[in-house]
Amino acid sequence: MGLAQLTKGKGFKQLMAKLYGFGAAIVIVGALFKIQHWEGAGIMLTVGLFTEAVIFFFSAFEPPHEEVDWSLVYPELAGMHEPGADRKR
């Protein structure tokens, strides 16, 4: 199983969503500790930023988001980006 196959899986996407939240939460709490000059701020910021760096590394391998053609579902949306489309009504 290659990296491309791994990143397309539902489990990978769920894991990444959880990791984004986990890393951001640690960074935010670490920043609060730093602002308040509480102990443990340095390690929290280090762990949080390291987690975010790992997340961004793996997110670089995610396939690009494919834009959906909504005019196939809602035909009335077809041609909305043409000049003068708003004057048709």
Side-chain angles (χ1 to χ4, degrees), residues 12-42:
F12 179 79
K13 291 178 181 169
Q14 289 176 341
L15 175 68
M16 290 301 288
K18 288 178 180 32
L19 282 178
Y20 277 121
F22 180 71
I26 295 174
V27 170
I28 290 169
V29 172
L32 172 68
F33 271 56
K34 195 72 159 175
I35 291 168
Q36 295 294 336
H37 303 288
W38 295 339
E39 286 187 39

mmCIF file of all heavy atoms in Angstrom, residues 12-42:
data_model
loop_
_atom_site.group_PDB
_atom_site.id
_atom_site.type_symbol
_atom_site.label_atom_id
_atom_site.label_comp_id
_atom_site.label_asym_id
_atom_site.label_seq_id
_atom_site.Cartn_x
_atom_site.Cartn_y
_atom_site.Cartn_z
ATOM 1 N N PHE A 12 -7.589 7.810 7.303
ATOM 2 C CA PHE A 12 -6.545 8.833 7.280
ATOM 3 C C PHE A 12 -7.159 10.224 7.458
ATOM 4 O O PHE A 12 -6.659 11.045 8.219
ATOM 5 C CB PHE A 12 -5.758 8.771 5.972
ATOM 6 C CG PHE A 12 -4.679 9.807 5.860
ATOM 7 C CD1 PHE A 12 -3.472 9.640 6.504
ATOM 8 C CD2 PHE A 12 -4.877 10.961 5.110
ATOM 9 C CE1 PHE A 12 -2.471 10.595 6.404
ATOM 10 C CE2 PHE A 12 -3.881 11.919 5.007
ATOM 11 C CZ PHE A 12 -2.681 11.731 5.661
ATOM 12 N N LYS A 13 -8.276 10.463 6.778
ATOM 13 C CA LYS A 13 -8.937 11.770 6.866
ATOM 14 C C LYS A 13 -9.472 12.013 8.266
ATOM 15 O O LYS A 13 -9.382 13.129 8.789
ATOM 16 C CB LYS A 13 -10.043 11.865 5.830
ATOM 17 C CG LYS A 13 -9.487 11.928 4.427
ATOM 18 C CD LYS A 13 -10.559 11.977 3.378
ATOM 19 C CE LYS A 13 -9.869 12.011 2.022
ATOM 20 N NZ LYS A 13 -10.702 11.812 0.922
ATOM 21 N N GLN A 14 -10.020 10.978 8.897
ATOM 22 C CA GLN A 14 -10.514 11.126 10.260
ATOM 23 C C GLN A 14 -9.367 11.372 11.235
ATOM 24 O O GLN A 14 -9.483 12.208 12.134
ATOM 25 C CB GLN A 14 -11.305 9.885 10.672
ATOM 26 C CG GLN A 14 -12.631 9.758 9.964
ATOM 27 C CD GLN A 14 -13.351 8.475 10.301
ATOM 28 O OE1 GLN A 14 -12.747 7.514 10.788
ATOM 29 N NE2 GLN A 14 -14.645 8.438 10.034
ATOM 30 N N LEU A 15 -8.267 10.654 11.040
ATOM 31 C CA LEU A 15 -7.098 10.856 11.894
ATOM 32 C C LEU A 15 -6.555 12.270 11.743
ATOM 33 O O LEU A 15 -6.240 12.931 12.736
ATOM 34 C CB LEU A 15 -6.013 9.836 11.555
ATOM 35 C CG LEU A 15 -4.684 10.010 12.288
ATOM 36 C CD1 LEU A 15 -4.860 9.722 13.767
ATOM 37 C CD2 LEU A 15 -3.614 9.128 11.690
ATOM 38 N N MET A 16 -6.456 12.756 10.507
ATOM 39 C CA MET A 16 -5.933 14.103 10.271
ATOM 40 C C MET A 16 -6.830 15.165 10.917
ATOM 41 O O MET A 16 -6.340 16.136 11.494
ATOM 42 C CB MET A 16 -5.783 14.369 8.776
ATOM 43 C CG MET A 16 -4.667 13.581 8.120
ATOM 44 S SD MET A 16 -3.049 13.903 8.821
ATOM 45 C CE MET A 16 -2.770 15.542 8.204
ATOM 46 N N ALA A 17 -8.136 14.987 10.826
ATOM 47 C CA ALA A 17 -9.061 15.952 11.440
ATOM 48 C C ALA A 17 -8.851 16.005 12.948
ATOM 49 O O ALA A 17 -8.847 17.091 13.547
ATOM 50 C CB ALA A 17 -10.494 15.570 11.108
ATOM 51 N N LYS A 18 -8.662 14.864 13.560
ATOM 52 C CA LYS A 18 -8.427 14.827 15.008
ATOM 53 C C LYS A 18 -7.065 15.431 15.358
ATOM 54 O O LYS A 18 -6.938 16.149 16.344
ATOM 55 C CB LYS A 18 -8.542 13.399 15.516
ATOM 56 C CG LYS A 18 -9.978 12.894 15.533
ATOM 57 C CD LYS A 18 -10.050 11.479 15.997
ATOM 58 C CE LYS A 18 -11.431 10.906 16.054
ATOM 59 N NZ LYS A 18 -12.409 11.341 15.133
ATOM 60 N N LEU A 19 -6.056 15.135 14.539
ATOM 61 C CA LEU A 19 -4.732 15.682 14.809
ATOM 62 C C LEU A 19 -4.691 17.199 14.664
ATOM 63 O O LEU A 19 -4.002 17.876 15.425
ATOM 64 C CB LEU A 19 -3.689 15.039 13.884
ATOM 65 C CG LEU A 19 -3.232 13.640 14.259
ATOM 66 C CD1 LEU A 19 -2.250 13.115 13.224
ATOM 67 C CD2 LEU A 19 -2.601 13.617 15.630
ATOM 68 N N TYR A 20 -5.423 17.741 13.680
ATOM 69 C CA TYR A 20 -5.488 19.201 13.538
ATOM 70 C C TYR A 20 -6.023 19.829 14.827
ATOM 71 O O TYR A 20 -5.454 20.779 15.357
ATOM 72 C CB TYR A 20 -6.415 19.605 12.383
ATOM 73 C CG TYR A 20 -5.787 19.583 11.018
ATOM 74 C CD1 TYR A 20 -6.307 18.778 10.016
ATOM 75 C CD2 TYR A 20 -4.701 20.392 10.713
ATOM 76 C CE1 TYR A 20 -5.756 18.753 8.747
ATOM 77 C CE2 TYR A 20 -4.137 20.375 9.452
ATOM 78 C CZ TYR A 20 -4.667 19.556 8.477
ATOM 79 O OH TYR A 20 -4.114 19.542 7.232
ATOM 80 N N GLY A 21 -7.106 19.301 15.323
ATOM 81 C CA GLY A 21 -7.705 19.831 16.551
ATOM 82 C C GLY A 21 -6.802 19.644 17.752
ATOM 83 O O GLY A 21 -6.649 20.560 18.573
ATOM 84 N N PHE A 22 -6.190 18.470 17.870
ATOM 85 C CA PHE A 22 -5.305 18.180 18.994
ATOM 86 C C PHE A 22 -4.102 19.115 19.007
ATOM 87 O O PHE A 22 -3.778 19.721 20.033
ATOM 88 C CB PHE A 22 -4.852 16.717 18.907
ATOM 89 C CG PHE A 22 -3.930 16.294 20.004
ATOM 90 C CD1 PHE A 22 -4.394 16.129 21.295
ATOM 91 C CD2 PHE A 22 -2.589 16.054 19.744
ATOM 92 C CE1 PHE A 22 -3.538 15.733 22.310
ATOM 93 C CE2 PHE A 22 -1.724 15.651 20.746
ATOM 94 C CZ PHE A 22 -2.198 15.487 22.033
ATOM 95 N N GLY A 23 -3.449 19.260 17.862
ATOM 96 C CA GLY A 23 -2.273 20.134 17.788
ATOM 97 C C GLY A 23 -2.621 21.589 18.050
ATOM 98 O O GLY A 23 -1.916 22.281 18.784
ATOM 99 N N ALA A 24 -3.738 22.044 17.471
ATOM 100 C CA ALA A 24 -4.153 23.435 17.680
ATOM 101 C C ALA A 24 -4.492 23.689 19.142
ATOM 102 O O ALA A 24 -4.156 24.745 19.696
ATOM 103 C CB ALA A 24 -5.342 23.764 16.787
ATOM 104 N N ALA A 25 -5.155 22.733 19.784
ATOM 105 C CA ALA A 25 -5.522 22.904 21.188
ATOM 106 C C ALA A 25 -4.288 23.032 22.073
ATOM 107 O O ALA A 25 -4.234 23.893 22.967
ATOM 108 C CB ALA A 25 -6.377 21.725 21.646
ATOM 109 N N ILE A 26 -3.286 22.205 21.815
ATOM 110 C CA ILE A 26 -2.057 22.277 22.618
ATOM 111 C C ILE A 26 -1.353 23.614 22.406
ATOM 112 O O ILE A 26 -0.882 24.237 23.359
ATOM 113 C CB ILE A 26 -1.112 21.111 22.290
ATOM 114 C CG1 ILE A 26 -1.751 19.788 22.708
ATOM 115 C CG2 ILE A 26 0.229 21.280 22.997
ATOM 116 C CD1 ILE A 26 -0.951 18.585 22.288
ATOM 117 N N VAL A 27 -1.300 24.090 21.168
ATOM 118 C CA VAL A 27 -0.645 25.372 20.884
ATOM 119 C C VAL A 27 -1.392 26.511 21.571
ATOM 120 O O VAL A 27 -0.780 27.401 22.185
ATOM 121 C CB VAL A 27 -0.553 25.624 19.361
ATOM 122 C CG1 VAL A 27 -0.103 27.036 19.061
ATOM 123 C CG2 VAL A 27 0.398 24.631 18.723
ATOM 124 N N ILE A 28 -2.723 26.490 21.517
ATOM 125 C CA ILE A 28 -3.514 27.560 22.138
ATOM 126 C C ILE A 28 -3.330 27.562 23.654
ATOM 127 O O ILE A 28 -3.118 28.621 24.265
ATOM 128 C CB ILE A 28 -4.996 27.420 21.749
ATOM 129 C CG1 ILE A 28 -5.165 27.754 20.271
ATOM 130 C CG2 ILE A 28 -5.882 28.311 22.612
ATOM 131 C CD1 ILE A 28 -6.519 27.403 19.701
ATOM 132 N N VAL A 29 -3.407 26.396 24.269
ATOM 133 C CA VAL A 29 -3.225 26.326 25.724
ATOM 134 C C VAL A 29 -1.787 26.697 26.087
ATOM 135 O O VAL A 29 -1.558 27.408 27.078
ATOM 136 C CB VAL A 29 -3.610 24.926 26.255
ATOM 137 C CG1 VAL A 29 -3.247 24.775 27.726
ATOM 138 C CG2 VAL A 29 -5.091 24.675 26.051
ATOM 139 N N GLY A 30 -0.819 26.269 25.288
ATOM 140 C CA GLY A 30 0.572 26.648 25.533
ATOM 141 C C GLY A 30 0.776 28.150 25.435
ATOM 142 O O GLY A 30 1.512 28.743 26.229
ATOM 143 N N ALA A 31 0.111 28.779 24.463
ATOM 144 C CA ALA A 31 0.200 30.243 24.332
ATOM 145 C C ALA A 31 -0.410 30.924 25.561
ATOM 146 O O ALA A 31 0.130 31.923 26.063
ATOM 147 C CB ALA A 31 -0.506 30.697 23.062
ATOM 148 N N LEU A 32 -1.541 30.386 26.050
ATOM 149 C CA LEU A 32 -2.151 30.932 27.269
ATOM 150 C C LEU A 32 -1.177 30.819 28.443
ATOM 151 O O LEU A 32 -0.987 31.788 29.192
ATOM 152 C CB LEU A 32 -3.453 30.196 27.590
ATOM 153 C CG LEU A 32 -4.085 30.526 28.937
ATOM 154 C CD1 LEU A 32 -4.584 31.970 28.933
ATOM 155 C CD2 LEU A 32 -5.204 29.569 29.251
ATOM 156 N N PHE A 33 -0.559 29.657 28.588
ATOM 157 C CA PHE A 33 0.411 29.476 29.664
ATOM 158 C C PHE A 33 1.574 30.450 29.516
ATOM 159 O O PHE A 33 2.056 30.999 30.502
ATOM 160 C CB PHE A 33 0.934 28.030 29.671
ATOM 161 C CG PHE A 33 0.122 27.073 30.496
ATOM 162 C CD1 PHE A 33 -1.241 26.907 30.254
ATOM 163 C CD2 PHE A 33 0.706 26.330 31.502
ATOM 164 C CE1 PHE A 33 -1.996 26.020 31.001
ATOM 165 C CE2 PHE A 33 -0.030 25.441 32.253
ATOM 166 C CZ PHE A 33 -1.387 25.286 32.005
ATOM 167 N N LYS A 34 2.019 30.674 28.285
ATOM 168 C CA LYS A 34 3.138 31.582 28.037
ATOM 169 C C LYS A 34 2.760 33.019 28.396
ATOM 170 O O LYS A 34 3.524 33.742 29.042
ATOM 171 C CB LYS A 34 3.546 31.488 26.563
ATOM 172 C CG LYS A 34 4.878 32.079 26.257
ATOM 173 C CD LYS A 34 5.975 31.200 26.813
ATOM 174 C CE LYS A 34 7.276 31.466 26.121
ATOM 175 N NZ LYS A 34 8.355 30.715 26.720
ATOM 176 N N ILE A 35 1.559 33.430 27.978
ATOM 177 C CA ILE A 35 1.091 34.793 28.276
ATOM 178 C C ILE A 35 0.960 35.009 29.785
ATOM 179 O O ILE A 35 1.301 36.074 30.303
ATOM 180 C CB ILE A 35 -0.253 35.057 27.561
ATOM 181 C CG1 ILE A 35 -0.025 35.128 26.049
ATOM 182 C CG2 ILE A 35 -0.916 36.332 28.070
ATOM 183 C CD1 ILE A 35 -1.303 35.092 25.228
ATOM 184 N N GLN A 36 0.471 33.979 30.479
ATOM 185 C CA GLN A 36 0.278 34.083 31.924
ATOM 186 C C GLN A 36 1.550 33.782 32.727
ATOM 187 O O GLN A 36 1.533 33.888 33.953
ATOM 188 C CB GLN A 36 -0.839 33.118 32.364
ATOM 189 C CG GLN A 36 -2.203 33.451 31.808
ATOM 190 C CD GLN A 36 -2.739 34.755 32.341
ATOM 191 O OE1 GLN A 36 -2.378 35.239 33.414
ATOM 192 N NE2 GLN A 36 -3.609 35.372 31.557
ATOM 193 N N HIS A 37 2.612 33.403 32.019
ATOM 194 C CA HIS A 37 3.889 33.061 32.656
ATOM 195 C C HIS A 37 3.737 31.892 33.619
ATOM 196 O O HIS A 37 4.333 31.873 34.696
ATOM 197 C CB HIS A 37 4.495 34.279 33.377
ATOM 198 C CG HIS A 37 4.713 35.453 32.489
ATOM 199 N ND1 HIS A 37 5.697 35.490 31.537
ATOM 200 C CD2 HIS A 37 4.045 36.642 32.373
ATOM 201 C CE1 HIS A 37 5.644 36.637 30.889
ATOM 202 N NE2 HIS A 37 4.642 37.353 31.368
ATOM 203 N N TRP A 38 2.932 30.908 33.226
ATOM 204 C CA TRP A 38 2.747 29.703 34.024
ATOM 205 C C TRP A 38 3.780 28.664 33.616
ATOM 206 O O TRP A 38 4.270 28.658 32.482
ATOM 207 C CB TRP A 38 1.348 29.136 33.841
ATOM 208 C CG TRP A 38 0.244 30.022 34.351
ATOM 209 C CD1 TRP A 38 0.343 31.025 35.259
ATOM 210 C CD2 TRP A 38 -1.129 29.978 33.962
ATOM 211 N NE1 TRP A 38 -0.874 31.613 35.470
ATOM 212 C CE2 TRP A 38 -1.809 30.991 34.683
ATOM 213 C CE3 TRP A 38 -1.866 29.196 33.086
ATOM 214 C CZ2 TRP A 38 -3.163 31.225 34.556
ATOM 215 C CZ3 TRP A 38 -3.215 29.424 32.956
ATOM 216 C CH2 TRP A 38 -3.859 30.428 33.695
ATOM 217 N N GLU A 39 4.072 27.743 34.529
ATOM 218 C CA GLU A 39 5.036 26.687 34.227
ATOM 219 C C GLU A 39 4.461 25.711 33.206
ATOM 220 O O GLU A 39 3.261 25.466 33.188
ATOM 221 C CB GLU A 39 5.400 25.928 35.501
ATOM 222 C CG GLU A 39 6.304 26.718 36.424
ATOM 223 C CD GLU A 39 6.783 25.873 37.579
ATOM 224 O OE1 GLU A 39 7.087 24.680 37.366
ATOM 225 O OE2 GLU A 39 6.862 26.420 38.681
ATOM 226 N N GLY A 40 5.327 25.166 32.386
ATOM 227 C CA GLY A 40 4.919 24.185 31.392
ATOM 228 C C GLY A 40 4.620 24.769 30.027
ATOM 229 O O GLY A 40 4.306 24.038 29.090
ATOM 230 N N ALA A 41 4.700 26.078 29.897
ATOM 231 C CA ALA A 41 4.366 26.727 28.626
ATOM 232 C C ALA A 41 5.326 26.301 27.523
ATOM 233 O O ALA A 41 4.899 26.009 26.404
ATOM 234 C CB ALA A 41 4.385 28.244 28.784
ATOM 235 N N GLY A 42 6.583 26.244 27.816
ATOM 236 C CA GLY A 42 7.580 25.908 26.807
ATOM 237 C C GLY A 42 7.371 24.524 26.231
ATOM 238 O O GLY A 42 7.385 24.333 25.010
#
